[in-house]
């Protein structure tokens, strides 16, 4: 009999459905909590062996030590990104696993959905025709074919995106801390400096992780380097963009349109139905007034295939840990800055190479 007990936070109906179905093969005891894991309710994790969390459950240094004291041995992220966990504190205290890839196609395709919607103004046409307004004024877009896209972060998601955009006949400029020249030449794209990518791209897509280096990489100075009227798409992490600077860019017309699947302060709002309340965030409220901005609430990952993969990999990660097997999806402070597929030096990372 499986005796492993799991405290599962931020559980939505689609999570419980997929986890319950796949857990039949494992038999873990799973307690689902509908709310985020916070310092105020962390006591609920007492007595559990693992906690399962999602993108907006923040686990800081103090919470790591608290979880350890409560007997929690594993934090299992249901996400690829891990910026919400203090990995430095976790190192040597609690192991952290994630789902590195649940469907890069899901996010890349959503990125393109935002691009096409903004470009061809489908969001505005939808409401117009429902109001029997069949005029085209204000709906003019541009051919994607022949235009230049800049993709920042050419990992799993970025690569799928590059292939789709090349399919449109776009020139694609790439930027990554670890350029893959073979990928660039195979797809007919090219790595350039960030400055060149900013200055030449008609559409810029952010597909890199949130790190100390990338936090607020899109700010008033970098926006000033961009082409006037550029389309900016962020399906990475909200804090890649300094939102007040984006708003200024939109007001001046320097940014022509923006598609945001993530937002700096999203943890207070996204994934919840707040339609019967007043929106208290002035920055988000301002963003929502622009007719050339589309905000989706972190739904890039949300496909049937991805939800199933998240449950499959998370349960396998937990099973691997408690069965004493090698953890292929472990993240730790030492190697978290390495790109996909790059193995850390043995000395640099005893956790990841053990
Ligand atoms: P990945 O790890 O496969 O690729 C990330 C790439 O970014 C790597 O090639 C890495 O070298 C590069 N990178 C790291 N620091 C960089 C920097 N300073 N400048 C340029 N490139 C840099 O990750 P994957 O799966 O492609 O995901 C990318 C990001 O997308 C995740 O970190 C996560 O934040 C976000 N994401 C968003 C989802 C959504 O639903 N909107 C779902 C899944 C991930």
């Amino acid at each position: 009999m499986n005796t492993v007990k799991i405290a599962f936070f931020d559980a939505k109906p689609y999570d419980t459905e997929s986890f319950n179905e796949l857990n039949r093969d494992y038999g873990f005891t799973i307690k689902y909590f509908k709310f985020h894991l916070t310092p105020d309710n962390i006591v609920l994790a007492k007595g559990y062996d693992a906690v399962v969390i999602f993108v907006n459950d923040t686990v800081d240094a103090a919470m790591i030590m608290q979880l350890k004291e409560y007997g929690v041995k594993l934090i299992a992220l249901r996400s690829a990104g891990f910026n919400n966990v203090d990995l430095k504190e976790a190192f040597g205290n609690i192991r952290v696993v994630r789902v590195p890839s649940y469907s890069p196609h899901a996010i890349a395709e959503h990125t393109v959905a935002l691009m096409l919607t903004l470009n061809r103004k489908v969001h505005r046409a939808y409401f117009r025709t429902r109001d029997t307004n069949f005029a085209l004024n204000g709906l003019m877009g541009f051919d994607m074919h022949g235009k230049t896209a800049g993709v920042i972060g050419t990992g799993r998601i970025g690569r799928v995106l590059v292939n789709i955009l090349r399919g449109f006949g776009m020139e694609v400029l790439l930027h990554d801390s670890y350029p893959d020249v073979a990928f660039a030449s195979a797809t007919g794209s090219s790595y350039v400096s960030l400055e060149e990518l900013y200055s030449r791209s008609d559409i810029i897509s952010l597909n890199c992780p949130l790190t100390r280096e990338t936090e607020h990489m899109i700010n008033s100075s970098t926006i000033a380097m961009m082409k006037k009227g550029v389309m900016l798409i962020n399906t990475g992490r909200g804090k890649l963009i300094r939102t007040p600077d984006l708003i200024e860019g939109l007001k001046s017309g320097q940014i022509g349109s923006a598609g945001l699947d993530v937002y700096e302060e999203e943890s207070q709002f996204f994934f919840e139905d707040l339609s019967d309340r007043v929106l208290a965030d002035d920055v988000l409220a301002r963003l929502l007034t622009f007719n050339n901005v589309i905000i989706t609430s972190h739904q890039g990952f949300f496909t049937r295939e991805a939800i199933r993969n998240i449950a499959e990999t998370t349960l396998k990660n937990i099973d691997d840990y408690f069965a004493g097997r090698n953890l292929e999806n472990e993240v730790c402070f030492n190697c978290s800055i390495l790109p996909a597929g790059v193995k850390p030096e043995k000395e640099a990372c005893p956790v990841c190479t053990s």
Side-chain angles (χ1 to χ4, degrees):
M1 198 192 124
N2 197 327
T3 56
V4 175
K5 290 167 71 184
I6 299 169
F8 191 114
F9 288 87
D10 196 14
K12 297 283 183 274
Y14 44 84
D15 294 315
T16 46
E17 192 182 314
S18 59
F19 274 81
N20 282 342
E21 188 193 330
L22 293 165
N23 189 38
R24 286 196 208 118
D25 295 340
Y26 293 98
F28 296 123
T29 300
I30 307 180
K31 174 72 182 168
Y32 294 101
F33 298 109
K34 289 183 181 164
F35 37 80
H36 292 305
L37 174 63
T38 69
D40 292 337
N41 64 25
I42 194 168
V43 68
L44 293 169
K46 199 171 183 174
Y48 286 91
D49 302 297
V51 293
V52 172
I53 59 170
F54 198 45
V55 288
N56 291 325
D57 298 299
T58 302
V59 184
D60 61 18
M63 290 171 77
I64 294 275
M65 296 319 289
Q66 192 71 70
L67 288 172
K68 186 182 178 186
E69 197 187 307
Y70 289 156
V72 172
K73 293 153 207 85
L74 185 72
I75 296 174
L77 286 152
R78 312 200 294 282
S79 58
F82 42 78
N83 51 280
N84 47 326
V85 176
D86 190 322
L87 292 174
K88 193 172 185 180
E89 193 70 16
F91 188 66
N93 285 312
I94 288 191
R95 311 281 286 269
V96 181
V97 286
R98 65 170 178 148
V99 184
S101 177
Y102 29 90
S103 173
H105 300 279
I107 300 104
E109 289 169 14
H110 188 71
T111 305
V112 177
L114 290 172
M115 287 178 189
L116 289 170
T117 306
L118 284 169
N119 175 18
R120 306 307 297 267
K121 303 178 177 62
V122 178
H123 55 304
R124 299 180 59 201
Y126 175 83
F127 285 112
R128 273 196 196 185
T129 53
R130 256 153 192 73
D131 195 28
T132 58
N133 175 356
F134 301 107
L136 298 182
N137 298 333
L139 300 185
M140 191 183 290
F142 57 84
D143 285 8
M144 305 265 281
H145 180 92
K147 298 294 183 305
T148 301
V151 176
I152 302 176
T154 54
R156 297 175 186 85
I157 297 167
R159 284 164 199 245
V160 176
L161 177 63
V162 170
N163 278 305
I164 298 173
L165 298 178
R166 288 291 293 142
F168 280 131
M170 297 190 83
E171 181 183 358
V172 183
L173 304 177
L174 316 171
H175 184 81
D176 197 292
S177 328
Y178 297 86
D180 181 346
V181 184
F183 168 77
S185 90
T187 51
S189 48
S190 45
Y191 282 96
V192 295
S193 67
L194 266 184
E195 291 71 20
E196 184 174 349
L197 185 147
Y198 288 145
S199 65
R200 288 182 50 202
S201 301
D202 300 293
I203 301 176
I204 294 175
S205 176
L206 307 178
N207 299 102
C208 57
L210 175 65
T211 62
R212 273 188 293 269
E213 194 192 339
T214 60
E215 182 168 346
H216 290 167
M217 65 189 295
I218 305 299
N219 54 51
S220 50
S221 337
T222 51
I223 289 172
M225 291 179 207
M226 296 176 192
K227 265 190 174 178
K228 191 164 177 68
V230 66
M231 180 192 290
L232 182 65
I233 308 286
N234 187 8
T235 55
R237 282 291 179 267
K239 274 196 176 1
L240 296 174
I241 298 180
R242 194 169 177 279
T243 318
D245 294 0
L246 170 66
I247 290 174
E248 285 312 309
L250 285 159
K251 281 161 72 178
S252 71
Q254 174 68 5
I255 305 268
S257 57
L260 310 173
D261 189 47
V262 285
Y263 166 60
E264 293 199 65
E265 305 300 333
E266 70 177 50
S267 58
Q268 300 170 53
F269 307 104
F270 284 14
F271 306 127
E272 307 302 332
D273 179 1
L274 305 176
S275 55
D276 61 346
R277 294 194 215 159
V278 166
L279 179 57
D281 183 312
D282 289 351
V283 176
L284 182 56
R286 181 66 180 102
L287 274 179
L288 288 167
T289 66
F290 292 102
N291 62 4
N292 53 351
V293 171
I294 295 179
I295 297 179
T296 52
S297 45
H298 208 136
Q299 72 176 73
F301 73 100
F302 200 47
T303 63
R304 267 192 298 278
E305 292 77 3
I307 290 295
R308 190 174 175 87
N309 288 343
I310 287 172
E312 260 171 17
T313 308
T314 304
L315 291 171
K316 183 178 178 304
N317 285 341
I318 296 170
D319 195 47
D320 283 348
Y321 174 79
F322 289 100
R325 286 191 291 270
N326 191 36
L327 291 182
E328 59 176 308
N329 297 321
E330 179 156 25
V331 273
C332 85
F333 179 66
N334 282 329
C335 70
S336 61
I337 48 168
L338 291 174
V342 175
K343 284 275 163 219
E345 297 295 324
K346 183 91 184 156
E347 301 73 40
C349 189
V351 169
C352 300
T353 51
S354 62

